Structures are given as C-alpha cells and as structure tokens.
Amino acid sequence: MNTTATGVTTSVSRRVAAGREQEFLRWTDAGMAMAGTFPGFLGGGWLRAASDPEQYHVVYRFADEHTLAAWTTSPARKVWVGRGTGLAQDTVTHRLTGVEGWFEPQSTLTHAVRVSVPPPRWKQAVTIWLGFFPISLLVAVFVTPRLAPLDVVTRTVVATVLTTPVMVFVVLPFLTARLRRWLHG
C-alpha cells in the first residue's frame, strides 16, 4: 500500500487510571510535542470518549509508514512511554491511511476488531464532494462577498477555517451515516 501521498494516522485508545487524568493529559501532550520534533509528523491530539470519561483516543499522523516507524521505534519515544507507566492502559490501536477514518464508523474504532474495511477511494471522493459542494456554495454566496476587501490568502484562510470543521464534524458524519450501504456495498 502506498501511504506516502496520503499519510498514516494512528489512533490509540487508552483507559486512564482513576484520579490520574491531569497527569495523563500532561504526559500525552508531552508525547505529542516530542513527536512534533520528528520528521514527517503531521499533527495529533486526543479526544475523550463521550460514553466513557476514562477512555481517551490519542491520534497522531505521520507522512508515511517510514516516518511513523522512526517515531514508534525511537529511543525517545520508549523513554516517554516508560514515563507513562501506570497512567493508562492501551486498549486498542488502529492505523489508517488517507481520509478513510472519516468513513470508518466510530463504534469500530473503539473495539479491538475492525468491523469493515473503508470504502473504495472513488466513493470517498464522491461523498466528500457531495458535502463540500453545498458548503462551498454557501460560503461563496454568503461569506466571500463580505470578505472582498481582504486579500485572497486571508479570504481563503477564513473560508477554510469555516468549512473544515463543518465538513469534519457535521457534514461527513451526516452523509456517511446516510450513504453507509452504498459506501460499503
């Protein structure tokens, strides 16, 4: 599988020890900061599971399998992992390439066995377009005219800052839930 062009995202579910949440978050943030010093690191963060306040999902992304492996096998990471002993227990690790994480039901990301494989890339592209077109049209009609005095870079930054969270947190979950049979059929 060629992951060079798409990146590699790793999601690690961790159950935090009782009373050690703040310590866990500091440790996690330190690990993200350290990962940020490695070539190929594209970003990361953590999410708390809505249904279980002791369950966290730590997500990090690297440019490709090679740069991910350089991080995961590094002595610095081993020391960092050692410092986290007793803070949390890893329960599940998933590795995804590209944007298929948007198309993977969240329920399967919190279990040890993946229930389904991501849909074909062309179906992912169609789904993204189905969401992106109306959002882009709305921004072009209602937001962009108000930004006319600004330079093109600033207008583009504002438009993408507005559309990206709407796509990721509203439109794609809405569309993938409704297109699930088609996407996985």
Side-chain angles (χ1 to χ4, degrees):
M1 174 184 306
N2 178 7
T3 58
T4 304
T6 59
V8 181
T9 301
T10 300
S11 170
V12 182
S13 295
R14 293 186 167 121
R15 177 161 300 286
V16 178
R20 301 197 68 186
E21 179 180 303
Q22 292 305 313
E23 197 177 349
F24 168 78
L25 294 176
R26 284 191 299 274
W27 173 76
T28 299
D29 289 343
M32 284 295 162
M34 185 186 308
T37 66
F38 278 71
F41 182 71
L42 300 176
W46 54 265
L47 302 163
R48 177 192 259 165
S51 61
D52 183 354
E54 292 178 350
Q55 188 78 25
Y56 281 78
H57 304 284
V58 181
V59 179
Y60 51 94
R61 186 169 174 81
F62 278 83
D64 53 42
E65 291 283 351
H66 176 73
T67 57
L68 172 64
W71 157 248
T72 57
T73 61
S74 71
R77 182 181 177 276
K78 288 179 182 167
V79 169
W80 169 74
V81 168
R83 288 185 187 141
T85 301
L87 293 178
Q89 177 182 5
D90 290 7
T91 56
V92 177
T93 300
H94 290 281
R95 190 163 293 154
L96 301 169
T97 59
V99 296
E100 64 250 357
W102 287 341
F103 300 93
E104 184 69 23
Q106 288 301 308
S107 61
T108 65
L109 292 178
T110 58
H111 293 85
V113 178
R114 289 185 58 190
V115 174
S116 62
V117 297
R121 294 234 186 238
W122 73 269
K123 287 185 178 183
Q124 294 177 34
V126 168
T127 303
I128 292 169
W129 181 85
L130 286 171
F132 188 71
F133 176 76
I135 297 298
S136 297
L137 186 59
L138 288 171
V139 168
V141 170
F142 295 108
V143 177
T144 304
R146 290 178 172 81
L147 303 175
L150 302 174
D151 63 279
V152 69
V153 172
T154 304
R155 287 193 311 261
T156 304
V157 166
V158 170
T160 57
V161 163
L162 292 173
T163 57
T164 300
V166 172
M167 281 293 293
V168 171
F169 296 109
V170 178
V171 175
L172 283 174
F174 175 83
L175 284 174
T176 56
R178 274 133 195 92
L179 298 175
R180 178 163 285 121
R181 284 189 181 165
W182 175 73
L183 285 166
H184 296 283

